[in-house]
Amino acid sequence: MTNNNTNSNATNNGINRRQFLQSSLTMATVTGLGMSACTTTAFNRPLKNAQNTASNMNADKVKDNAHYPVIIIGTGYGSAVTALRLAEAGIPCLMLEMGLDWQLAKQQTGLKFSSMAWAEKQSTWLRTTTIAPFANYRKFKKFTGALDRIDFQHINVYAGRGVGGGSLVNGGMSVTPRKDYFAEIFPTLDTDLFYAKYFPLANAQLGVHSIPDDFYQSSKYYQFSRIGESEGVKAGYIPVKVPNVYDYDYMQAEQAGTVPKSALKDEVIYGNNYGKKDLTKTYLKQALATGKVTIVSLYKVEQLIENNGNIGNEEENYTDDTLYSLKVKQINTQGETIAIKTLHTDKLFLGAGSLGTTELLLKSHAKGTLTRLDSQVGKHWGNNGNVMATRSGIKSSLGRKQSSIPAVGLSKWTDDKQAIFVEVAPFPIGIDLRMALYLAINRVEKTGTIGYDTKDDKLTLDWDDRHNQQMVKNTERFLDEMNNANGGHDGSIFSHIDAQGKKHQGVNPKICYHPLGGCVLGKATDKFGRLNNYQGIYITDGSLIPASIGVNPYVTITALAEYCVENVLAEDFVG
Ligand code: FAE
C-alpha cells in the first residue's frame, strides 16, 4: 500500500513502525535526559549562532516518517502532566514544542531571559518590537522569544513559547478556584473528589506555597501590595493572599543581595532567570528523569491527519494501521522553516493551549484531514473575564522597588450581580509613579466561538464588545470604589472605546492572559478529555475549561489534566 501522507521513504530518512517499537525503549532512555542534558560542542557559543545549534541537535532526533507510540503536542501544564504520568507508567512519549528549549539555549549559548525594562530579542516571539500590554518601544531582530500574542480585532491573547509553555512567562500565581464556582463550571465532575485529591496533588506537584507573612509585611518590595490591600479593604473588598510557585527563600536572598536578582529585578513576562519554579523544574524535570520522555523544541505541528488505516510502505511490504499522522515544521530561531516532516502515532495528546489546540483541530478539519470533527470544537471560549485596569494619583507611596511577583488579590466574588476578583499587580519600573495596576477576573456572561477561515488560512474569533460589556462595567465599578474610598483617579495608560464610541478610562478588556475553552470537557470531549469521534486523541490543556474559572487558571488546568490522564491511563493503556 502506498503511503499517501508523505513523499519520504521511511527506510531512507527514518525508522518505520516496527523498528521504532523495537528501539523505542533504548532511544527514550538515551534521549530521555532531555535536550538540556545533552553534551554539546556548542557550549558557550555566542548568541548569534544559537539558531544553528539548537535546531541541528533537534534535526537528528526526529526522523521523517517515524512512528511514535505516543506524541504530546506542547510542553505547558496539560502536556507536562501527561508526560510525567505516562512515563511513570513506562510509556515512552515524544513531546513536540514550537518554542525554544531555554535551558539548552542557556547551556549552549549563555542565552538568558530578558528583563522587562530592557527587553531584548529573546523577549518576544518572532517580532521586531515588544508586545507587552504597554510601553513597547524596544526594537530588535526577529527571534523565537518567550512571549507571544495572537491578535484578533477586539482581543489580544498572550501565550508563553518554549519548553515549559505558559509557566515560563506567567506570574506564578497559583490559585485553587472557589469550590462553588468550580461546581458551577463543571456540574458533572465530582467536586469533592477534586478538592480532596486532584487540587492538592496539583498544588503539591507544582510546588505552590504562600509568601511568609513577616517578609510580606516588612519588605519594601511589597509596599505596593500592602497599600493595594489596605485600599481594597477600605473600598469594601476582601483581601486574599495569592499563593505562588516562586521560591520565597530565594526572593529573600535576592533582597539580602546574596544571589542574582530575578523577581526583584523586574523579570517576569519574558521569563525568570532564577527563583520561579516553572514546569522545567517540576513536572517536566521529573518526566525527563524517568528516561521515557523526549522533548524536541522548535518543532511546530501544522496539521493533523486521520489515516483510516491506509498508511504503509510498499517497498517493505507491510501495512500499518497507524491512526494519525502529523505534519510538523521544524524551524530555526528566526522562524524560518528548516524541514517539513511527517510523524505517525496512535495516541495523540493535545496540550498546545486553548488557542493552539483548537486551531490545530479546526485547521485540520478545514483542510479535510480530520473529517469527523464534532461541531462543539471551537465553542465556549472566553478570556476568564480578564480586564486590565489602572489608577493614578495614589495618595501613599507604592515604593520605587516592586517585586514582579504579585502576592495579593481583592475579592467581591460573592456579589451576585457583579462578581469580581482583582489582582494587585506590580509596576516594577524603578520609579514610583503613584500608579496602581490591576488584573481583574470576571465571570464570562457571553462566550465566544473560535473558527477557521480557509480563504485567509487563519484562526477567527467571534469576540467583541458584547462579550466585554459586563466585565468592563464591573471593573469600572471597582475603580470607582477604590477612588472614592482612597482618592486617586482612573489611570491614563489604559482606555477602551466601546462599540457606541464611549470612552472608558483606566480599563483595557483587550488584554487576555487567560484564554480558556474551545475544546470543553464533556462537550467536545468525553468526561476524561477524549476528543469526540476520535479514538486515541486526547485534550489536556486550558481548552477543556469553558471560558472562565474565576481565578488564575493553571492550577485548575493541572488538576484537570491529572484527573483525565489518570483515567485514560487506566482505561486506554491496559496491557
Ligand atoms: P500553555 O502553557 O500555553 O502551553 C502550550 C504549549 O504548546 C506552549 O509551549 C506552546 O508554545 C506550544 N504549542 C502551541 N501550539 C503548538 C504547535 N502547533 N506545535 C507545537 N507546540 C505548540 O498551555 N495563569 C495562572 O494561573 N497564574 C498566573 O500568574 C498567570 N500569569 C500569566 C501571565 C502571562 C503574561 C500569561 C501570558 C499567562 C499567565 N497565566 C497565568 C496563564 C497561564 O500561563 C496559562 O493559563 C497556562 O499556561 C495554560 O496552560 P496550557 O497547558 O493550556
Side-chain angles (χ1 to χ4, degrees):
M1 191 179 290
T2 308
N3 180 343
N4 63 352
N5 288 294
T6 171
N7 54 15
S8 309
N9 184 327
T11 50
N12 288 339
N13 297 325
I15 52 177
N16 66 29
R17 178 188 171 98
R18 274 167 298 158
Q19 287 165 331
F20 175 79
L21 290 174
Q22 280 157 13
S23 63
S24 61
L25 196 67
T26 328
M27 182 179 127
T29 308
V30 171
T31 55
L33 289 171
M35 299 293 296
S36 311
C38 297
T39 12
T40 166
T41 51
F43 190 75
N44 281 344
R45 199 171 283 187
L47 178 56
K48 61 183 173 160
N49 288 336
Q51 70 239 32
N52 299 326
T53 52
S55 26
N56 285 348
M57 289 192 65
N58 283 339
D60 294 335
K61 290 204 158 194
V62 172
K63 304 287 185 191
D64 187 23
N65 215 20
H67 180 280
Y68 294 85
V70 174
I71 292 182
I72 301 172
I73 304 177
T75 53
Y77 292 90
S79 296
V81 171
T82 307
L84 175 61
R85 299 309 176 201
L86 263 59
E88 282 175 340
I91 299 158
C93 319
L94 175 73
M95 301 183 88
L96 300 169
E97 169 55 52
M98 67 189 269
L100 264 183
D101 182 330
W102 289 89
Q103 289 186 5
L104 175 72
K106 187 176 173 188
Q107 281 180 15
Q108 287 186 331
T109 67
L111 182 71
K112 286 185 150 194
F113 290 118
S114 184
S115 72
M116 286 198 282
W118 196 250
E120 298 176 84
K121 67 177 181 179
Q122 64 269 31
S123 62
T124 306
W125 180 258
L126 298 177
R127 282 186 180 76
T128 52
T129 61
T130 52
I131 44 158
F134 50 84
N136 292 307
Y137 53 88
R138 295 277 296 153
K139 300 236 180 300
F140 34 68
K141 286 193 174 149
K142 272 198 329 184
F143 189 78
T144 47
L147 186 68
D148 194 5
R149 195 180 72 191
I150 301 104
D151 293 346
F152 299 95
Q153 192 182 354
H154 296 284
I155 192 161
N156 299 328
V157 181
Y158 286 84
R161 297 283 175 241
V163 173
S167 77
L168 300 173
V169 299
N170 68 34
M173 283 172 278
S174 308
V175 196
T176 300
R178 291 175 58 98
K179 199 169 174 183
D180 53 354
Y181 195 56
F182 181 80
E184 183 184 323
I185 294 291
F186 289 109
T188 58
L189 292 181
D190 182 345
T191 308
D192 287 339
L193 180 65
F194 263 81
Y195 282 76
K197 181 175 179 184
Y198 298 108
F199 279 117
L201 177 63
N203 279 297
Q205 282 287 143
L206 292 165
V208 176
H209 52 266
S210 301
I211 186 165
D213 201 49
D214 53 343
F215 177 58
Y216 175 75
Q217 294 300 346
S218 63
S219 173
K220 62 183 176 212
Y221 289 93
Y222 279 104
Q223 191 167 322
F224 78 97
S225 261
R226 294 192 297 271
I227 298 292
E229 184 177 346
S230 66
E231 285 194 327
V233 171
K234 266 194 182 172
Y237 286 78
I238 298 166
V240 183
K241 285 272 162 44
V242 177
N244 209 288
V245 292
Y246 202 91
D247 180 344
Y248 286 111
D249 288 340
Y250 189 89
M251 200 188 284
Q252 291 179 66
E254 288 179 51
Q255 182 172 270
T258 54
V259 294
K261 286 193 171 66
S262 182
L264 303 192
K265 201 198 73 186
D266 86 25
E267 287 181 359
V268 66
I269 60 169
Y270 305 135
N272 284 87
N273 286 300
Y274 311 96
K276 188 168 77 183
K277 280 194 182 167
D278 62 41
L279 288 168
T280 65
K281 297 173 184 88
T282 57
Y283 275 100
L284 290 173
K285 187 176 177 188
Q286 272 184 272
L288 289 169
T290 63
K292 299 281 180 198
V293 175
T294 303
I295 302 178
V296 288
S297 53
L298 298 176
Y299 268 78
K300 181 168 190 232
V301 180
E302 292 281 303
Q303 200 175 332
L304 312 177
I305 300 149
E306 65 198 28
N307 286 321
N308 305 318
N310 55 359
I311 276 269
N313 186 317
E314 224 167 38
E315 287 164 36
E316 284 215 332
N317 195 26
Y318 80 98
T319 53
D320 192 329
D321 56 358
T322 301
L323 289 176
Y324 305 106
S325 298
L326 285 72
K327 193 172 139 199
V328 180
K329 186 168 81 176
Q330 187 186 357
I331 59 173
N332 64 18
T333 54
Q334 287 155 331
E336 295 159 345
T337 304
I338 294 174
I340 303 277
K341 296 180 182 176
T342 302
L343 308 179
H344 311 291
T345 191
D346 295 308
K347 299 250 187 281
L348 180 59
F349 286 82
L350 271 71
S354 162
L355 287 185
T357 286
T358 312
E359 175 174 18
L360 269 175
L361 293 171
L362 291 174
K363 181 180 172 184
S364 306
H365 180 65
K367 290 182 182 292
T369 57
L370 271 191
T371 53
R372 289 172 279 135
L373 204 65
D374 194 295
S375 61
Q376 279 290 323
V377 175
K379 296 200 170 134
H380 313 288
W381 188 86
N383 65 348
N384 202 22
N386 282 183
V387 180
M388 280 229 177
T390 178
R391 288 169 57 230
S392 291
I394 307 294
K395 299 293 171 210
S396 311
S397 166
L398 296 175
R400 196 164 59 79
K401 299 186 168 180
Q402 301 184 10
S403 168
S404 64
I405 297 296
V408 81
L410 304 170
S411 179
K412 261 196 191 173
W413 196 261
T414 46
D415 185 322
D416 280 351
K417 293 211 177 74
Q418 289 179 267
I420 194 166
F421 176 67
V422 183
E423 274 154 20
V424 177
F427 196 53
I429 56 164
I431 34 174
D432 182 10
L433 294 176
R434 302 282 174 116
M435 201 184 81
L437 209 59
Y438 307 98
L439 175 63
I441 294 175
N442 295 273
R443 282 171 176 268
V444 175
E445 310 283 350
K446 182 174 166 54
T447 63
T449 303
I450 307 172
Y452 198 79
D453 177 347
T454 18
K455 202 165 120 259
D456 290 340
D457 209 12
K458 64 171 199 201
L459 208 61
T460 60
L461 182 56
D462 160 39
W463 184 271
D464 57 32
D465 264 352
R466 292 166 304 151
H467 300 82
N468 290 333
Q469 225 165 36
Q470 186 62 41
M471 51 188 91
V472 167
K473 205 168 145 195
N474 290 0
T475 312
E476 285 187 308
R477 181 188 73 154
F478 164 76
L479 290 180
D480 287 348
E481 288 172 342
M482 291 293 273
N483 291 335
N484 291 340
N486 302 288
H489 50 89
D490 299 345
S492 56
I493 54 165
F494 297 136
S495 66
H496 168 62
I497 301 195
D498 68 21
Q500 283 72 46
K502 187 177 164 207
K503 187 170 181 184
H504 300 262
Q505 192 65 45
V507 297
N508 188 348
K510 239 188 138 173
I511 299 162
C512 170
Y513 277 1
H514 301 162
L516 295 174
C519 222
V520 167
L521 190 72
K523 292 199 160 77
T525 76
D526 75 353
K527 61 182 177 177
F528 299 139
R530 298 179 184 104
L531 185 67
N532 291 349
N533 306 336
Y534 283 97
Q535 183 198 334
I537 298 188
Y538 308 90
I539 313 297
T540 62
D541 57 21
S543 59
L544 290 170
I545 302 175
S548 144
I549 197 63
V551 292
N552 317 60
Y554 74 61
V555 170
T556 308
I557 296 170
T558 307
L560 284 170
E562 288 279 12
Y563 156 81
C564 289
V565 175
E566 180 187 271
N567 284 288
V568 156
L569 252 175
E571 292 185 4
D572 296 7
F573 286 78
V574 180

